[in-house]
Amino acid sequence: MNDTTHLADRHTGRARGGGAATAAPPAPGGPSPVPVAKRPRRPRSGQWTAWGFLAPVTVYLAVFYAYPLYRNLDLSLRDYTVRSFVEGDAPFTGLANYRTILHDPAFEPALIHTVVFTVASLLVQYVIGLALAVFFNQYFRLSATLRALFLVPWLLPLIVSASTWSWMLNSDSGVVNAALHAVGIGPVQWLTSPSWSLASVIIANIWIGVPFNLVVLYSGLQAIPAALYEAAALDGASAWQRFRHITFPLLRPVSAITLLLGLIYTLKVFDIIWIMTKGGPADSSTTFATWSYRLGFGNLVPAFGPGAAVGNLLVVTALCFGLLHVRAQRKQHLS
């Protein structure tokens, strides 16, 4: 064994022993060593750029979402008064505010009104929006113009829409009662009768929410290949069969997100109800949103803790439905 062999064995043992992984010098006349590839380091400038893009969104979410939610949770767990806000000595009461609203006589009517208002608005908005989307999916000359006109209720400020409906449904001078009188129907106390006040605000909310459903569902219809409808027509499928077996199944993902966003929006509707009826008469149109506002700001002695507790119930409800939607989407992707 010559000196060259001893030198190669020495370098090989050093590499196996955990030392520096350096290639052994080649034997005279042997092949050139293969260089060891080094892992490239990620440039730090790219990391700072990524954090720079994330910083505005993070600050926005922290300031306008995380902190208000924390403050609302803190309000619901303490006995806050006007004096407490100034001196900052509100005692911790735990779940006492939640027990207070659960035993309040106004809780059950407000819960029923919230469910009826939300479910009725969602269903009617979706059905009308889907029907209009299917109608406008068939191209004709004034299609774009009419779609733009249908967006007007969605673009108007809520205070304008609610004030307009309040004037239209006025018992004495409203155009709705005038039209009913023209066909021989007596006047309806839309805003002053406990039997009609909730229906009045539901009608106004449906009118405002239909354009949103129209836009989203129309976009979903545009993504369905036209070849499917052509093949179904060649097989003799009627218009209803094409809608039932092609349009509606393929529109389910878009329908799910439309209903979810509509649910979150409808749960927190306050402006329309407060402007039109203020939750009355006799709390006949009071929902959790208006009840929360009335507890916190509508009394001479504000109850900030119970008002925040009612608001948190709405937040938890919307969060639960959002999580159910995410879980359903995840199962759909896995399947």
Side-chain angles (χ1 to χ4, degrees):
M1 185 178 295
N2 53 21
D3 297 337
T4 305
T5 305
H6 283 293
L7 184 60
D9 292 340
R10 188 180 305 170
H11 280 282
T12 304
R14 185 180 302 171
R16 292 176 181 176
T22 57
S32 301
V34 179
V36 179
K38 294 183 178 180
R39 181 178 299 176
R41 292 184 178 181
R42 184 178 298 176
R44 298 187 64 86
S45 60
Q47 296 179 359
W48 286 112
T49 302
W51 282 110
F53 280 110
L54 288 176
V57 178
T58 304
V59 172
Y60 175 80
L61 292 177
V63 173
F64 294 101
Y65 285 89
Y67 180 73
L69 286 175
Y70 162 74
R71 288 294 300 160
N72 202 59
L73 180 62
D74 183 69
L75 277 174
S76 66
L77 298 177
R78 296 181 181 272
D79 184 17
Y80 267 99
T81 61
V82 177
R83 181 179 179 181
S84 301
F85 275 104
V86 179
E87 299 180 355
D89 58 347
F92 182 80
T93 58
L95 300 178
N97 290 321
Y98 292 92
R99 288 192 293 268
T100 299
I101 63 172
L102 289 176
H103 292 89
D104 195 306
F107 176 80
E108 184 177 354
L111 175 62
I112 295 174
H113 297 158
T114 302
V115 172
V116 173
F117 179 81
T118 303
V119 173
S121 297
L122 285 180
L123 290 180
V124 180
Q125 286 173 358
Y126 177 79
V127 171
I128 297 178
L130 180 59
L132 291 174
V134 173
F135 173 74
F136 285 118
N137 196 38
Q138 302 173 359
Y139 178 78
F140 53 94
R141 185 181 298 273
L142 296 178
S143 175
T145 303
L146 292 177
R147 286 204 314 270
L149 292 177
F150 270 102
L151 292 179
V152 172
W154 191 33
L155 299 177
L156 288 176
L158 288 178
I159 188 172
V160 175
S161 301
S163 300
T164 302
W165 275 100
S166 182
W167 167 72
M168 292 173 59
L169 297 177
N170 186 275
S171 303
D172 300 324
S173 58
V175 296
V176 175
N177 276 347
L180 293 178
H181 178 73
V183 295
I185 301 177
V188 178
Q189 306 298 319
W190 295 101
L191 304 177
T192 57
S193 171
S195 302
W196 287 99
S197 59
L198 185 61
S200 302
V201 295
I202 290 175
I203 292 172
N205 188 61
I206 290 172
W207 181 78
I208 294 173
V210 164
F212 171 76
N213 287 260
L214 167 61
V215 171
V216 179
L217 295 174
Y218 178 79
S219 301
L221 288 177
Q222 293 295 302
I224 300 178
L228 297 177
Y229 294 105
E230 295 175 359
L234 291 177
D235 290 339
S238 62
W240 169 248
Q241 290 174 332
R242 292 195 297 269
F243 173 80
R244 180 182 176 183
H245 297 288
I246 298 177
T247 303
F248 194 72
L250 295 181
L251 207 60
R252 284 178 183 173
V254 179
S255 299
I257 194 63
T258 303
L259 292 174
L260 176 62
L261 294 177
L263 171 70
I264 296 174
Y265 167 79
T266 308
L267 283 175
K268 65 182 183 63
V269 167
F270 166 79
D271 315 65
I272 301 172
I273 301 175
W274 193 259
I275 293 173
M276 294 181 64
T277 63
K278 288 185 170 56
D283 294 336
S284 59
S285 59
T286 296
T287 61
F288 276 170
T290 57
W291 188 32
S292 176
Y293 177 83
R294 183 180 298 171
L295 287 173
F297 305 100
N299 298 320
L300 294 177
V301 182
F304 296 114
V310 175
N312 285 333
L313 292 181
L314 292 176
V315 173
V316 171
T317 302
L319 180 62
C320 290
F321 279 98
L323 293 177
L324 289 175
H325 172 72
V326 171
R327 183 178 180 182
Q329 291 293 104
R330 184 176 302 174
K331 286 185 176 180
Q332 183 178 0
H333 287 302
L334 291 177
S335 61

